[in-house]
Every structure is written in C-alpha cells, then in structure tokens.
C-alpha cells in the first residue's frame, strides 16, 4: 500500500532549504509528451493558492492535467477547478482572438468582429490618449475583481498605463480583504495573519520548529471551499486527522466542518462583534491570557478589558441569539488551548461593524501569546507586490528604495504618468473616506458609483474591466452599475469568456491566457504572508491569447513608451516585479516551488519594522489593542458593538411587516470562483442552479419544498433561486449564493445571460458603509421569500426573458438617514422592461 | 490478495475532486462516473450534535487505475483527494488501517 503522506515526506525530507535540487525538473520529456511542473493561480479565478500541477502536453495541446505530488503544500491533490482546467481552456465559448464592436452596438452579441492585436491595442491606446488630453487621466477607471492574478495588475493598468488614480474594486464598502488588511496594518503590521499549518517549511509538519495548533477558531470562514487568499483549506483536515486539532466555528450556518467541530456558535448574522467582545471578556475573567506577552509587546490591554466589561456573555447571548453557557464554554475551550490559532473570514469585512470585529479577533490571536508562535497565528513580512500605498504601516524591514521595488504609485509619480495633484485630489471618495484611502490603492467604490451617475466631482469617460464583472458579481444594486457604465465613451475588457458586463458595455475584448499559458509567479496572500514562491510556467499557447502582463506592455508602449519600452518580455517584467524572495525569475521557474522558510516571532527579531528594531510597526511600537491609527481616522480606538443597519433591532417594524428574514450571502462553493466557471460542464454539474438555504420550519410555513424556485426580495430588488431546505441554517435566516448568471442563455441585452435573474446583489444596497467607508450588508440584509411557479414566465431563470426591476434605491433612502451621506443619487434607473422571450431547455442540458 | 479502496469518511469533505480526477483518468463522458460522491444530508441528532456525511465510492467503471498502478503510480482519486482520506492497497492492509482507526471507515472493491 502506498501512503501519500509517506511519499510526500520522503520527497520533502530530500528537499533542501531553498528550492529542491533533486526534485523533478520543471520540464521533462516522456516519449512524445512534455510534462511541465507549474503552480496554478489564474485565470481561471482562484486566490494565490499556487497548487502544484503536472501538465502533459503533446503537439502543443494539453492531454492531461494532474496534481503534482512533489508540491509541498498540495502533495498531489487538486480541487475540482484545476481538475477541470482542460474543459475550461479549450471550451468552445472561450474567446481566443481580439474583438471589437462599434459603440452603438453595445449590448448586441452578434456585432462583435475579430481584429488584430495591433488594431485592438491601438483602439485602446488612442481612446485613452484622447480622453487623457480632453478630460484628464482621472476620468479613466480600471475595474479589478477579487483575488485573481489580475489583482496585481489592475492598479498598474490604472497608475502606470493610463496615469489615473481611479482603479475600482466595485464591491460596496471594499468589503473583501481590505478591512482585514486595515486592521492588520493599523494594529500590528506583519502583512496578514494566518493559521499555522507549517506552510512555510520545506519539511512541513515534520519540521522540528512546528507545533500543531491544539485548536483553530474559524470565525466567519469556510476555508475548505474557498482556499481563501492562499490558505490551503484542506490542511485543516490533515491537522485534525494527524494531530487531533480541534475546531470552533462561529457562523450563522453549520458548515460541514462545523459538524466536526467542538462548538458551532450559530449567531444572528452581523452580531459577531458582540460575541468576540464576550470571548475577550471570558479570557480576561478567567485570566486565560499571556501576561508576559501582553506586558512586553502590546498597548492598551487594560483599556480593552475595561471596554469588554460592557459585554459579558449574558448580554452577547441576548444580542447574538445564543445560549450564554455555550459562549462561556467555547471561549474557555479557546482560552485553554495551547497553542490556539485564529482564522478570520470574509464575514469580518462584509459588515458595517467589521473593523471592530477585526480588532477583537486580532486581540484573540495575540493576548493568548500565540501570535507568530508555532501552532498559533503566523504573520508575514508584508511584501505587497508593489501595490499597497505605503503609508498604511505594512512596510517591511528590508524594503529597498531603488526603482525595481518602488511601489506602483511611486513609479507612476516618478515617471510622469500621474501627477501628485491627480493622485491626492482626484482619487474618488478618499476625501470623504480617508481611512480607505490610507490603506487601499483604489477609489472608494460606493462613491465611484455616485460619481458615475451624477458626474460629480467630475464626469467619467472610459472604463476597463480586468477580470472583473461588477454587474454579475461584486456590484451592489447591479442595475445601477450597468446603467452608468454603458454610457461611458469607451470601454474595454481583458478576459477569457464573454460575460454580462462586457456584452453590455464594452467596445474591445482582449483575450487573456490562462494560468498554464503564461509565465508568472504566485505567492500566498499576495505576498503579505508568504508560504512559498511558486512559478507559473507556460505550458501551451491557446489561440492568440496573451498574458495580462503582455497586454499591459503592449498598450503601455503606445501611451508611455519611455517607461514601457524597457520591458521586452514578460520575464523582464517578472524580474522587475520581484517578490520578497529576490530570486531572479528563471531560478524561481527552475525551483517550481521555493519555500519562504520564514521564522516565527518576527516581532522579536526586528523583521516587522522598517528600522529593523524589535516590535511592531505602529505608533507605539507595540501591538495596539487600543488603536491610535483608528483614533486618527475618527473611529473609536477600541472595539464596540453596533447592530447591523438592517435587522430586527435597527428596523423591527419592517421585519415584522414585509421583510421577516435576515439574509446572508457569499458562502463559497468549491466548483465556482465567484461569477466564473459557470460554463465548465464538470463544475456546473455539481451546482446547476443557484440555491438559497432555508430552515425546514420556515419552508413548511411558506409551503416551500426542496428544489422549488423561490423569489427573494428586499427593499432594493429581487431575484430568483432554488430552495435548499436544510436545518444548517437558523430559523428566520436565509443564505443565498452570489454571482450566478447563465452563460448558456441569450447573450444580448436585455437578457445579458440572465445577469439579473438570480443575482442576489439586486437585493443589496450600496453606500451602507461603516464610518470608515468600509463594510456593507452582504452578511446581514433583510428580505422576504416566496415560492414562484414557472408558468412560462419570462422572469424565470430558465427562460431567456428578462428579470429586470429597477433598483429601488431612489425611493428608498434609508442609507442616507441611517448614516447620513451626501446628496441622494437621482435619476438613471431603467424602466421595468419585459421583452419577448423564448423558452429554453432546462439548464441540465448543458451538463449532458 | 485483492486490492481495494479504503475511505475514512469521517473526514471526506465532499469536494468532488476524486470524481473529476477519475473521469479524467478513465477519459469518461460528463455523465459517467468511476467514482461518485454521495451525501447523507445534514440533520441534528437527538443530543444536539450534527450529522452530515459524504462518502466517495467506486462504481463498476472503476478499474482501480490499473494502468497507473502498473506504471508504479497510485490511483488518481487517491492522489487528488484533498482531504487525503482515500487509500489504495490490499484488502488486508486496508482492513488493518480501518480497524486501527475504528470508526467511520469503509473498504470498497469495485
Ligand atoms: S485552489 Fe486554485 S490553484 Fe488550487 S486546485 Fe483549486 S483552482 Fe487550482
Ligand atoms: S481507482 Fe482509479 S478508476 Fe477507480 S475510482 Fe479511483 S480514479 Fe477511478
Ligand atoms: S476527493 Fe476526497 S475528500 Fe473530496 S470528495 Fe473525494 S474522497 Fe471526499
């Protein structure tokens, strides 16, 4: 019998510190097949997990894609998405030649024409040059999606190719990663905290420095499905099996891993901060903290304890809808575990009280003494791939100041693409939300939507979409984005498949190569906490597709040749854009995987501070449980609980009458990365339809059965999904999947691949943010739900009709009164439209 | 001694990797399965604890990856399993392994 753990540890035992010399070469020949070893990132969408692939190629065509048993983290495993990668890269709908379409034909699928790369990139460059001259570079905006490799490039497209400060991450309240980065930067530096799974060591679990976590606290996180930001989720199962690691889940849903946990705290959505404060209360009450660490390295512990004294478990139990006993029990279990580790999830970001939750979770990671300790929560050294604006505090010790390691912003200013005035005065929304502006490199998205609609503070003219689909995925009130974006003078996209936003709004389509079609690099947590540096090695060419970098270089040379002419190849750019490994690209490629081998306790060894002194890169030099940085931005320096903007406490009347359910969204499915992968047969087969979880008691009351189509509506809009009746969701709460569209349906407007039929963000407002400008309502909205029947109704997700109800933002201005913002947005709402339709076969057909 | 597959289904996460890995290996059509992941849906036990199991089992199309094994490799489903809960070996070896764990295990002969 072959034990994979043994195989892997044999391979690993033979692996020296930096780059395995006796590992299989990155490229080998087996008969008439070439086998490439490479690490995957994107496209297709994925976070920088960098799983190891062995790609078999014959006559320039992929014959087989397998996991790479020599990869120290994944050791031969792959998730379904890379296993289905062949179906994706050779999909008949993939766009593999550049295309253009006259502006007047936006929304019409049959009007695209193939064109050459030169023509396509000239169209883009000329439009940009004209708009820069006529209206100013700041009127060009660049959209990026989450987590993908293109995340590295969209700020560079903005700052270095077009010279605009306005890159856009369109999710209301920048509700992904940004808030957690802010918490980290403000309170302690150290990149991004992650659970310890020996992910940095060549010997992995066998490294003598490593101790397994006794307990992992999964807070608003389901890492098995999402491999978030590079955390290889199934490592948690490895540690549960191998070391008996215990789990506590805090989640309104009982997830699969929750059924294997010691405790699942199934709280009312959006009340997490109250619970986290109660956890700290219990740790202080029972004195389950590490005083030595607290005294030597933190600031403000007593003030924190004073603050959480307002939140004993009895009060939190009432707020969260939990049993008080369970809170005591779970917090004690956590406090007594040695070592304990904390994984904070996206739920931290998607709430208006999330910064305060993040503050509590940083406290839970650290006051136990297990921050950056073996088996605790590790820190990184804050290599940020040059994109983070560097006044946020995550500057690392050995940062160099020469050109090659300047941030994107520094380069843009130095080489004249962008003036300081443009950066400081034309980045939309950062005057109103300086906290967002201080850490993020983009505009503030809710303010951008308003600017698009009102032309204030200035009119926008051109948009680019770099692997981002704001009307099917991250945009709240997607009809508003759609309506605003289709009015711009020129729009183009870099992507692999046609999608609703490109079909509706774009004039040029530039086809991008997938992860196995270009050379590149992948680093977990985008370099903020690096387990390893992985090489993406080009294995094949598909059509005329080009890498994001090559496309950027082509357009860049036509606008700012003095800067862009220095790069002749992608390798030049990869060498220029080095990661903390400081290894030249060809060495990275030969190694395939280079483990970071970072040590623990970086705050003791001076690895976190720019001056190389021990401590944290904060104002006090300590980990600030009392945060001066937040205080600087007019936020409370200590955590506090605020009930969600929508919910039984904030709006009891509305919940009693029209909207009796709390809605939470965004749970991950392993088979899809957000709006992607819907056209891949092996993956769509796993989840053919969008599903909304509803408790059996609620379902019975409403006459809803498993598999019924239901309509879900909020004050903002509605959509339709299929009911999944399950006891894992609390009574009175529903969970709906996000980013579902139907690539098999009519592409042209108004249907746009059914973009609005099942999009749960039809129900989500924009501009309901925290004071800081971060956070939104994705995890705690109100809604109602009812069964609907398919009587040849055009609005049905299986029909090609249109489900398009005007966003009701105009008539419903709660966000303006809940936390007053500036003038309400008026006007550009489309009328209800019902057009002709044709019945299409059930979706099942596409997976046959 | 016959060979088979052992699964520790306490920790099968239901991720479907084994299914697709097998389909790739056997070059099956999209509706065919050499390995199929089944779900026993979530419910709460009388004592409040939760039940929710997945189990992956080989169908009659499974040939225990004879080509891969003959070439010195391990079955595709075993290699790609994200939770590393699938094992290939002789029934004797697998039985010993299953008994050592003592719960929620199953051995399959396709
Ligand atoms: S997690 Fe990402 S890189 Fe890893 S196998 Fe899945 S899709 Fe590929
Ligand atoms: S052993 Fe091979 S053929 Fe059998 S289920 Fe696993 S992958 Fe499929
Ligand atoms: S790959 Fe492993 S964990 Fe995933 S479904 Fe199959 S047996 Fe279960």
């Amino acid at each position: 019998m072959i034990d994979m753990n043994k195989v892997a540890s044999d391979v690993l035992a033979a692996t020296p510190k930096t780059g395995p010399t006796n590992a299989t070469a990155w490229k080998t020949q087996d008969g008439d097949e070439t086998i490439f070893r490479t690490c995957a990132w994107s496209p297709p969408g994925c976070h920088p997990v960098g799983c190891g692939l062995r790609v078999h190629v014959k006559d320039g065509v992929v014959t087989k894609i397998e996991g790479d048993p020599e990869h120290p983290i994944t050791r031969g495993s792959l998730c379904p998405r890379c296993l289905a990668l062949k179906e994706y890269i050779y999909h008949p709908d993939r766009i593999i030649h550049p295309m253009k379409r006259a502006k007047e034909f936006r929304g019409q699928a049959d009007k695209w024409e193939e064109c050459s790369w030169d023509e396509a990139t000239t169209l883009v460059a000329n439009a940009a040059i004209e708009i820069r001259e006529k209206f100013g570079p700041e009127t060009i905006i660049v959209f990026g999606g989450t987590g993908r490799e293109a995340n590295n490039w969209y700020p560079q497209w903005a700052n270095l190719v077009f010279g605009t400060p306005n890159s856009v991450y369109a999710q209301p309240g920048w509700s992904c990663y940004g808030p957690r980065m802010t918490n980290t930067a403000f309170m302690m530096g150290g990149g991004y905290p992650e659970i310890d799974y020996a992910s940095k060591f060549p010997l992995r679990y066998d490294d003598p420095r490593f101790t397994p976590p006794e307990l992992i606290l999964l807070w608003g996180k389901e890492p098995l499905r999402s491999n978030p930001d590079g955390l290889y989720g199934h490592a948690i199962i490895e540690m549960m099996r191998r070391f008996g690691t215990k789990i506590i889940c805090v989640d309104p849903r009982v997830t699969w891993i929750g059924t294997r946990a010691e405790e699942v705290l199934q709280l009312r959505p959006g009340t997490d901060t109250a619970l986290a404060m109660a956890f700290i209360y219990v740790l202080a009450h029972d004195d389950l903290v590490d005083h030595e660490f607290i005294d030597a390295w933190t600031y403000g512990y007593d003030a924190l304890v004073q603050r959480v004294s307002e939140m004993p478990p009895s009060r939190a139990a009432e707020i969260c809808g939990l049993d008080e006993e369970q809170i005591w029990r779970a917090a004690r279990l956590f406090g007594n575990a040695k070592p304990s580790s904390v994984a904070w999830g996206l739920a931290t970001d998607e709430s208006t009280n999330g910064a305060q939750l993040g503050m509590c979770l940083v406290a839970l990671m650290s006051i136990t003494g297990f921050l950056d300790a073996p088996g605790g929560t590790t820190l990184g050294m804050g290599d940020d791939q040059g994109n983070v604006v560097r006044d946020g505090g995550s500057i690392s010790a050995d940062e160099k100041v020469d050109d090659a390691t300047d941030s994107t912003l520094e380069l843009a200013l130095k080489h004249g693409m962008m003036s300081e005035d443009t950066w400081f005065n034309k980045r939309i929304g950062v005057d109103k939300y300086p906290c967002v502006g201080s850490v993020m490199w983009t505009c503030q998205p809710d303010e951008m939507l308003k600017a698009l609609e009102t032309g204030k503070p200035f009119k926008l003219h051109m948009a680019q979409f770099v692997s981002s689909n704001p009307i099917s995925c991250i945009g709240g009130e997607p009809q508003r984005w759609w309506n605003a974006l289709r009015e711009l003078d020129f729009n183009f996209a870099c992507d692999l498949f046609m999608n609703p936003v490109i079909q509706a709004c774009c004039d040029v389509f530039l086809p991008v190569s997938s992860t196995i079609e270009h050379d590149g690099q992948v680093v977990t947590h985008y370099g903020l906490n690096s387990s390893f540096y992985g090489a993406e090695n080009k294995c094949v060419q598909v059509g005329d597709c080009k890498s994001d970098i090559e496309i950027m270089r082509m357009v860049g040379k036509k606008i700012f040749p003095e800067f862009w002419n220095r790069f002749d190849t992608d390798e030049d750019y990869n060498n220029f854009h080095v990661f903390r490994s400081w290894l030249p690209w060809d060495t990275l490629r030969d190694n395939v995987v280079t483990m970071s081998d970072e040590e623990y306790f970086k705050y003791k060894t001076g690895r976190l501070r720019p001056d190389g002194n021990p401590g944290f890169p904060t104002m006090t030099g300590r980990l600030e449980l009392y945060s001066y940085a937040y205080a600087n931005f007019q936020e409370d320096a200590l955590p506090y609980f605020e009930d969600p903007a929508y919910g039984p406490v904030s709006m009891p009347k509305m919940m009693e009458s029209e909207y009796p359910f709390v809605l939470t969204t965004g749970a991950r499915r392993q088979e899809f990365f957000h709006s992607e992968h819907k056209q891949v047969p092996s993956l769509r087969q796993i989840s053919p339809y969008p599903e909304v979880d509803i408790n059996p008691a609620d379902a019975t009351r409403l006459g809803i059965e498993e598999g019924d189509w239901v309509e879900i509506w909020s004050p903002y809009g509605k959509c339709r999904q299929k009911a999944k009746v399950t006891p894992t969701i609390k009574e009175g709460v529903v969970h709906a999947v996000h980013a579902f569209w139907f690539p098999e349906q009519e592409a042209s407007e108004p249907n746009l691949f059914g973009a609005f039929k099942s999009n749960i963000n039809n129900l989500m407002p924009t501009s309901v943010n925290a004071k800081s400008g971060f956070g939104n309502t994705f995890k705690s909205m109100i809604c109602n739900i009812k069964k609907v029947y398919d009587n040849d109704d055009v609005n049905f997700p299986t029909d090609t009709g249109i489900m398009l109800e005007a966003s009701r933002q105009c008539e419903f201005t709660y966000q303006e009164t809940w936390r007053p913002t500036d003038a309400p947005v008026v006007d550009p709402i489309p009328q209800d439209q019902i057009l002709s339709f044709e019945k299409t076969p059930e979706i099942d057909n596409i997976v046959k | 001694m016959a060979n088979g597959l052992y699964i520790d289904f306490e920790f099968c996460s239901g991720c479907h990797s084994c299914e697709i890995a097998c389909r790739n290996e056997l070059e099956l059509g999209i509706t065919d399965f050499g390995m199929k992941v089944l779900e026993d849906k979530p419910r709460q036990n009388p004592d409040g604890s939760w039940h929710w199991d997945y189990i992956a089992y080989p169908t009659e199309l499974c040939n225990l990856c004879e080509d891969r094994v003959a070439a010195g490799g391990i079955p595709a489903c075993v290699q790609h399993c994200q939770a590393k809960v699938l094992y290939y070996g002789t029934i004797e070896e697998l039985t010993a392994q299953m008994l050592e764990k003592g719960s929620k295990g199953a051995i399959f002969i396709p």
Side-chain angles (χ1 to χ4, degrees):
Chain A
M1 182 175 62
I2 300 160
D3 176 351
M4 273 311 292
N5 286 330
K6 176 83 172 53
V7 172
S9 39
D10 287 350
V11 170
L12 295 171
T15 306
K17 206 170 165 190
T18 49
T21 46
N22 54 351
T24 309
W26 71 277
K27 186 177 175 184
T28 50
Q29 199 65 30
D30 179 15
D32 52 4
E33 274 193 348
T34 311
I35 300 164
F36 293 86
R37 293 181 61 219
T38 179
C39 299
W41 190 355
S42 57
C46 189
H47 283 167
V49 194
C51 300
L53 302 183
R54 281 169 58 93
V55 181
H56 298 242
V57 177
K58 192 176 158 187
D59 302 327
V61 177
V62 174
T63 53
K64 186 153 97 175
I65 294 171
E66 305 183 280
D68 180 4
E70 293 173 86
H71 190 290
I73 307 291
T74 55
R75 297 178 296 138
S77 301
L78 288 179
C79 91
R81 301 201 302 271
C82 269
L83 283 164
L85 190 53
K86 210 173 103 182
E87 293 172 43
Y88 177 90
I89 67 168
Y90 295 128
H91 195 288
D93 294 346
R94 179 166 173 198
I95 292 168
I96 55 172
H97 306 290
M99 299 196 302
K100 60 174 183 177
R101 180 175 64 182
K103 188 186 164 197
E104 65 262 36
F105 296 131
R106 284 181 187 169
Q108 299 182 36
D110 56 352
K111 295 292 196 299
W112 289 100
E113 296 167 50
E114 249 177 64
C115 63
S116 70
W117 272 106
D118 187 52
E119 185 183 357
T121 51
T122 304
L123 282 169
V124 170
N126 287 350
I129 289 166
E130 193 185 327
I131 285 165
R132 275 178 61 91
E133 276 165 13
K134 263 203 201 146
F135 308 110
E138 65 276 7
T139 67
I140 303 174
I141 57 180
V142 178
F143 286 83
T146 195
R148 305 168 178 92
E149 206 174 321
N151 243 34
N152 283 350
W153 317 128
Y154 80 96
Q156 306 200 355
W157 269 104
N159 300 168
L160 300 177
V161 178
F162 300 128
T164 173
N166 287 310
S167 53
V168 194
Y169 175 69
Q171 189 177 25
W174 230 118
S175 298
C176 178
Y177 208 66
R180 278 172 290 167
M181 273 172 65
T182 306
N183 273 113
T184 309
F186 283 6
M187 296 175 74
M188 61 181 172
Y192 178 94
E194 188 53 275
I195 61 164
D196 187 9
Y197 56 108
S199 64
K200 303 182 184 195
F201 306 137
L203 291 177
R204 293 293 312 280
Y205 303 124
D206 296 330
D207 191 292
R209 290 168 290 185
F210 175 70
T211 308
E214 183 183 329
L215 184 141
I216 299 172
L217 177 57
L218 292 177
W219 201 295
K221 189 163 189 134
E222 220 294 39
L224 300 185
R225 306 299 176 212
S226 57
N227 291 328
D229 308 303
L231 160 64
Y232 181 64
H234 278 76
I236 294 173
I237 298 187
E238 288 176 351
M239 295 198 291
M240 291 168 84
R241 296 184 74 212
R242 201 161 156 170
F243 308 116
T245 297
K246 297 190 191 72
I247 305 292
I248 295 176
C249 288
V250 176
D251 203 317
R253 304 177 310 137
V254 180
T255 58
W256 176 83
I257 200 165
T259 64
R260 270 70 177 158
E262 304 302 306
E263 298 284 348
V264 185
L265 295 124
Q266 216 178 345
L267 76 183
R268 166 162 69 88
T271 60
D272 304 58
T273 310
L275 181 61
M277 288 173 76
F279 262 59
I280 299 170
Y281 181 103
V282 173
L283 296 196
H285 178 274
D286 287 14
D287 204 24
L288 297 173
V289 297
D290 180 342
H291 286 287
E292 211 173 300
F293 174 85
I294 290 169
D295 293 346
W297 301 105
T298 71
Y299 179 82
Y301 176 70
D302 293 340
L304 175 68
V305 172
Q306 175 71 30
R307 175 59 61 87
V308 300
S309 68
E310 299 164 7
M311 192 59 76
S314 55
R315 181 161 173 237
E318 212 169 284
I319 293 170
C320 305
L322 292 167
D323 176 21
E324 182 190 343
E325 247 337 280
Q326 193 192 15
I327 300 177
W328 282 101
R329 199 169 63 228
R332 283 174 171 152
L333 191 65
F334 173 77
N336 283 304
K338 292 183 185 358
S340 62
S341 185
V342 181
W344 53 354
L346 183 67
T348 320
D349 304 333
E350 294 195 325
S351 132
T352 46
N353 193 209
Q356 290 70 34
L357 172 60
M359 291 169 97
C360 292
L361 294 176
V362 168
L364 290 174
M365 292 167 197
S366 56
I367 59 178
T368 50
F370 298 115
L371 188 70
D372 214 20
T377 312
T378 67
L379 293 177
M381 304 217 300
D383 179 357
D384 52 30
Q385 306 191 11
N387 289 330
V388 173
V389 182
R390 302 222 177 192
D391 53 7
S394 68
I395 308 170
S396 52
D398 46 359
E399 182 183 355
K400 301 190 180 157
V401 289
D402 61 297
D403 209 46
T405 53
D406 279 351
S407 72
T408 300
L409 173 63
E410 287 159 344
L411 286 172
L413 298 178
K414 192 151 112 187
H415 293 275
M417 290 82 147
M418 190 160 59
S419 71
E420 291 206 7
D421 174 58
T422 303
W423 175 256
F424 287 110
N425 301 317
K426 305 286 172 61
R427 190 157 57 118
I428 294 210
V430 301
D431 48 343
K432 182 166 165 186
Y433 294 121
C435 181
V436 173
S438 79
V439 182
M440 309 317 294
W441 53 91
T442 65
C443 67
Q444 202 281 350
D446 307 74
E447 293 300 299
M448 175 55 80
L449 177 57
K450 290 185 199 165
L452 278 161
E453 290 175 334
T454 60
K456 291 180 195 144
F458 49 83
K459 196 165 158 25
L460 285 314
H461 289 276
M462 168 172 164
Q464 177 191 10
F465 302 91
V466 188
S467 299
S468 175
N469 183 357
I471 69 175
S472 307
C473 197
I474 46 176
E477 300 180 72
Q479 298 99 324
R480 288 177 63 195
W481 286 102
W482 171 52
N483 224 45
L485 290 169
R486 68 218 284 245
E487 298 306 321
L488 299 182
D489 299 346
F490 182 84
N491 297 320
F492 78 107
C494 302
D495 219 314
L496 290 86
F497 286 84
M498 187 54 70
N499 68 32
V501 80
I502 304 175
Q503 193 61 269
C505 307
C506 285
D507 310 314
V508 171
F509 187 117
L510 303 177
V512 179
S513 58
S514 79
T515 179
I516 58 167
E517 299 158 39
H518 64 261
D519 288 337
Q521 312 169 56
V522 47
V523 187
T524 58
H525 291 292
Y526 322 95
L528 288 169
N529 189 344
S530 318
S531 298
F532 64 91
Y533 307 92
E536 285 177 281
N537 291 319
K538 177 167 177 167
C539 313
V540 285
Q541 172 73 35
V542 176
D544 292 336
C545 300
K546 292 186 189 296
S547 70
D548 282 300
I549 295 178
E550 189 175 353
I551 302 172
M552 188 161 62
R553 288 194 293 110
M554 283 181 86
V555 178
K557 280 181 194 206
K558 290 178 175 170
I559 303 177
F560 292 108
E562 346 47 268
F563 177 76
W564 286 98
N565 277 341
R566 63 163 106 176
F567 310 112
D568 287 329
T569 61
D570 282 10
E571 183 170 342
D572 290 345
Y573 198 81
N574 281 327
N575 274 332
F576 167 75
H577 196 79
V578 291
F579 296 112
R580 176 160 305 286
S581 70
W582 305 120
L583 291 173
W585 153 251
D586 52 359
T587 309
L588 280 174
R589 180 192 58 203
D590 292 347
N591 289 353
V592 186
V593 178
T594 306
M595 302 304 281
S596 75
D597 211 29
E598 273 175 23
E599 295 288 343
Y600 293 112
F601 300 115
K602 286 178 275 297
Y603 59 86
K604 291 185 185 171
T605 54
R607 303 294 285 165
L608 298 182
R609 288 177 56 87
D611 58 13
N613 285 327
F616 294 86
T618 58
M619 289 182 211
T620 57
R622 290 159 173 263
L623 186 151
E624 293 186 2
L625 299 167
Y626 177 99
S627 168
Y628 279 110
Y630 271 115
N632 248 2
F633 289 108
Q634 320 303 323
E635 256 295 3
D636 199 323
L638 291 166
Y640 58 88
F641 171 67
E642 180 184 61
D643 223 280
Y646 293 89
V649 174
S650 311
M651 6 187 53
K653 287 217 179 77
M654 289 191 78
M655 286 204 72
E656 275 161 29
S657 55
E658 208 187 335
Y659 305 101
F661 286 92
V662 173
L663 166 68
T664 177
T665 71
R668 304 301 190 243
R669 307 224 37 136
Q670 186 129 42
E671 56 275 19
F672 302 136
F673 190 77
H674 301 289
S675 60
E676 290 192 57
H677 296 101
K678 304 286 185 293
Q679 53 289 83
V680 179
S682 286
L683 301 176
R684 185 68 177 278
Q685 179 177 58
I686 298 169
S687 292
Y689 299 102
E691 282 180 333
V692 52
D693 290 359
I694 180 168
N695 184 278
D698 291 325
T700 307
R701 202 162 37 76
L702 297 172
I704 293 170
E705 285 175 30
E706 176 90 3
D708 282 348
W709 281 102
V710 292
E711 187 164 295
I712 319 157
W713 74 100
S714 83
Y716 287 84
K718 61 187 175 187
C719 76
R720 291 176 180 187
Q721 302 200 350
K722 276 202 171 195
K724 181 173 174 189
V725 180
T726 172
T728 53
I729 190 93
K730 240 173 137 95
E731 227 179 303
V733 178
V734 296
H735 171 274
V737 307
H738 68 297
F740 220 101
W741 58 291
F742 303 91
E744 68 278 12
Q745 288 193 9
E746 172 59 43
S748 293
E749 282 184 350
N751 189 57
L752 282 180
F753 303 105
F756 301 104
K757 287 174 180 169
S758 295
N759 187 346
I760 195 66
N761 286 355
N762 294 350
L763 285 72
M764 290 293 163
T766 59
S767 298
V768 181
N769 313 124
K771 272 187 228 162
S772 61
F774 283 123
N776 195 263
T777 59
F778 293 103
K779 299 295 186 200
S780 47
M781 190 53 202
I782 54 173
C783 74
N784 205 343
I785 183 165
K786 69 175 181 205
K787 181 171 170 158
V788 285
Y789 300 88
D790 179 6
N791 295 325
D792 282 348
D793 172 354
V794 291
N795 286 339
F796 232 75
T798 48
D799 290 322
T800 57
I802 174 165
M803 166 100 172
L804 180 57
E805 190 198 40
S807 166
R808 293 165 59 185
Q809 196 263 349
C810 284
E811 50 191 277
F812 193 80
T813 51
Y814 175 64
Q815 74 264 46
E816 305 294 340
T817 50
W818 176 67
R819 205 191 296 285
T821 58
D822 52 21
V825 176
V826 283
D827 176 35
I829 306 296
Q831 293 302 306
D832 288 13
Q833 303 175 49
I834 304 274
L835 295 183
S836 64
F837 69 95
E838 229 177 86
K839 183 104 177 112
T840 48
E842 286 273 294
I843 296 166
D844 299 50
N845 284 350
I846 74 140
V847 300
K848 293 222 169 105
Chain B
M1 188 67 166
N3 289 316
L5 294 168
Y6 159 55
I7 177 167
D8 170 2
F9 64 90
E10 182 182 356
F11 290 103
C12 165
S13 71
C15 72
H16 294 269
S17 285
C18 51
E19 257 178 31
I20 304 178
C22 176
R23 184 181 291 146
N24 289 350
E25 185 62 29
L26 299 181
E27 299 180 1
L28 297 174
I30 191 75
T31 49
D32 293 325
F33 297 84
M35 178 65 105
K36 181 80 183 157
V37 180
L38 303 177
E39 179 186 16
D40 188 21
K41 290 192 174 165
R43 59 179 170 271
Q44 207 159 7
N45 293 319
D47 68 355
S49 64
W50 285 91
H51 170 87
W52 185 355
D53 281 351
Y54 291 97
I55 190 163
Y57 91 104
T59 74
E60 61 279 7
L61 298 183
C62 165
N63 62 13
L64 288 174
C65 280
E66 53 192 18
D67 294 347
R68 284 175 75 96
V69 172
I74 58 172
C77 56
V78 175
Q79 179 190 315
H80 290 94
C81 173
Q82 291 197 86
K84 300 274 183 233
V85 295
L86 287 172
Y87 299 83
Y88 169 77
T90 66
I91 301 301
E92 200 169 42
E93 290 168 328
L94 297 175
T95 305
Q97 197 177 0
M98 182 169 77
L99 290 175
E100 194 189 322
K101 193 198 170 216
S103 64
K104 286 204 157 184
I107 294 172
F108 292 105
I109 311 174

